[in-house]
Every structure is written in C-alpha cells, then in structure tokens.
Amino acid sequence: MKGSKEKKDTKFKTGNCFYLKRSKIGRERIFKSPQDMYDAAVEYFETCDNNPIYELDYRGKNLTKILLPKHRVYTYQGLCVFLDVNTDYFTDFKDSIKGKTDELSSDFSRVIKWIDNVIYQNKFEKAACGILNPMIISRDLGLKDSTETKVDAGNGFLELMKRATGGNE
C-alpha cells in the first residue's frame, strides 16, 4: 500500500540475552553494617559542628566587616546530602526492617532511632536557648502549644433556648 508504513519488529532478536550480562541486581548497600551507619552519622554531626555557617556583619563606628559563625543544624536532609542518598532512603530502610526481629535488623533499627534522637535533641536544644528560631524548629519537630477552652453554659443555656423558641422545646 502506498503511504502506509511497515510495522517495525521491536521484539528482542533470538539469542539476545544482554540482560544476563548484569552481574548483580540493584546497587550496593550503602551501609554494610550498623556500625558503618553509626560512623557515617557521627562524621556528619562532626562536620556540622566543625563547619559553621558564616554570617557577614558590620561592627563598630568604622563598620568593620566581620564574619559571625552560626551553628549548623543537624537535619535528615543534610545527612542525606552528606551520604549522597535521597531522603526516601531512610524511610525505605526503616520500612524494610520494621517488624523484623533478627539481630542485624534490630541493630540497624537502634542506630536509626539514635540518629532520630540526636537530630531532634540538636534542634530542640538550640531552639530552646535561642540559637535557632523556636517557632520554625517547633513546627519542624511537630511541637505545638495548644489551649483548650471549655464553656459550661449549664442551665442558663436551656433557659436561653426556651426563650428563643418561645418556650417550646
């Protein structure tokens, strides 16, 4: 037929077994042991502590330029950038060991919980003593200051309703 195109055969040709050339499935594990994960987290925390963020400021009557060191906050996002993984990595890792009772999973779970606690404590303490903005950190940590107001109208409410409805209930 004129103007029609022939269908291309897109199937693998017989004998094409390129997929078998792959030596392994998936990528290497980032942490071969809970100790490796712990060591990497400690290295991240030390890097944060030893490399503050500097704020440019001007002081004195001559407005001398100075750099003020500011504390670097521990975050999961920062940890993931440091480790060259995405944030879903820890979520997926937590999910993959949830409910497992073998020793390796339990040890990884303890390290992840320790990381959670260190990051939380770092943010909370720095916000509590004014180093960080308490409002931003409290939102990030899921803390909220709520008050509950209860009004007990008692019988006065019933009297009001009777008057409003003309004494009919």
Side-chain angles (χ1 to χ4, degrees), residues 44 48 73-83 87:
Y44 165 69
C48 288
V73 184
Y74 304 162
T75 64
Y76 264 107
Q77 291 77 9
L79 176 63
C80 290
V81 168
F82 184 79
L83 299 174
T87 52

Side-chain angles (χ1 to χ4, degrees), residues 76 80 86-98 112:
Y76 264 107
C80 290
N86 63 38
T87 52
D88 292 337
Y89 172 79
F90 276 98
T91 304
D92 294 345
F93 198 90
K94 283 181 190 179
D95 292 344
S96 74
I97 60 174
K98 195 176 285 185
I112 291 171

Side-chain angles (χ1 to χ4, degrees), residues 54-58 65-68:
Y54 289 95
E55 176 186 1
L56 178 62
D57 198 9
Y58 297 90
K65 188 191 306 186
I66 62 168
L67 294 174
L68 298 173

Side-chain angles (χ1 to χ4, degrees), residues 38 40 44 52 54 61 84 108 111 136 156-157:
Y38 173 85
Y44 165 69
Y54 289 95
K61 75 176 174 181
D84 194 27
F108 270 118
V111 172
I136 293 172
F157 179 71

Side-chain angles (χ1 to χ4, degrees), residues 48-49 51-56 59 67-73 126 131-132:
C48 288
D49 293 341
N51 296 287
I53 298 170
Y54 289 95
E55 176 186 1
L56 178 62
R59 297 276 170 98
L67 294 174
L68 298 173
K70 300 289 185 174
H71 292 270
R72 193 175 291 271
V73 184
K126 287 179 179 176
I131 295 171
L132 301 174

